[in-house]
């Protein structure tokens, strides 16, 4: 909501562009029969709620790597520049340092998040073990149908996930 409100305050003429589809790279996670990118707006209104999905790196990658992906408009590029400016504003974003055992829970459609580069320890016994988990509870936020190409399903409690050839549905807790 903060980003939405700040765009409205600073550059309201850019808001319509953020509700238009942006070609977004799947980064190799291409389900059978799908294109290596999908189109999705950054902001969505659905079931009385505002949701957001934004990773500029994936949008730029789709522009660079897939000539068949629709080209972004000037307004879409300006809107992304403003979002980046806002996301990097220390008055808006929150920086966190993780320590062993920390858990972070975020709602992907309400809070944009990213991490800085990570350099692992050289000794295998000291390597970081990071587990990312998508939770989709039965009472979760309803998502518009346009999210289905990204998540496999928009049904709360059964959102599917990204399944590509070789996907394992379990994770070893010890380094292999």
């Amino acid at each position: 909501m903060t980003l939405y409100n700040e765009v409205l305050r600073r550059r309201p003429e850019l808001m319509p562009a953020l509700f238009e589809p942006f070609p977004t790279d799947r980064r190799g996670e291409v389900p059978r029969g799908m294109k290596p990118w999908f189109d999705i707006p950054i902001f969505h209104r659905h079931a009385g709620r505002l949701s957001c999905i934004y990773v500029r790196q994936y949008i730029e990658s789709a522009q660079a790597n897939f000539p068949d992906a629709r080209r972004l408009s000037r307004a879409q590029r300006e809107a992304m520049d403003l979002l980046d400016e806002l996301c990097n504003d220390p008055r808006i974003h929150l920086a966190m340092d993780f320590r062993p055992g920390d858990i972070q829970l975020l709602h992907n459609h309400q809070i944009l998040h990213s991490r800085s580069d990570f350099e692992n320890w050289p000794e295998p016994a000291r390597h970081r073990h990071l587990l990312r988990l998508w939770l989709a509870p039965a009472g979760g936020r309803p998502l518009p149908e346009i999210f289905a190409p990204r998540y496999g399903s928009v049904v709360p409690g059964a959102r599917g996930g990204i399944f590509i050839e070789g996907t394992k549905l379990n994770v070893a807790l010890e380094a292999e």
Side-chain angles (χ1 to χ4, degrees), residues 66-133:
F66 308 117
D68 293 342
R70 190 180 52 73
R71 301 295 94 184
L72 297 174
S73 70
R74 190 178 100 253
Q76 285 178 306
R77 289 198 170 278
E78 286 182 29
M80 289 193 311
D81 289 343
L82 179 54
L83 285 180
D84 290 346
E85 177 186 331
L86 294 169
C87 287
N88 289 306
D89 183 335
R91 292 170 298 174
I92 292 175
H93 77 254
L94 171 68
M96 299 175 70
D97 288 324
F98 287 98
R99 305 207 189 293
D102 281 354
I103 295 174
Q104 182 183 55
L105 298 174
L106 300 168
H107 193 292
N108 272 352
H109 307 298
Q110 292 176 285
I111 297 177
L112 296 181
H113 57 92
S114 96
R115 59 178 172 80
S116 55
D117 291 339
F118 176 77
E119 190 172 323
N120 218 344
W121 295 95
E123 306 87 6
R126 295 179 71 190
H127 280 192
R128 174 179 79 164
H129 183 80
L130 173 66
L131 176 63
R132 297 183 78 179
L133 175 66

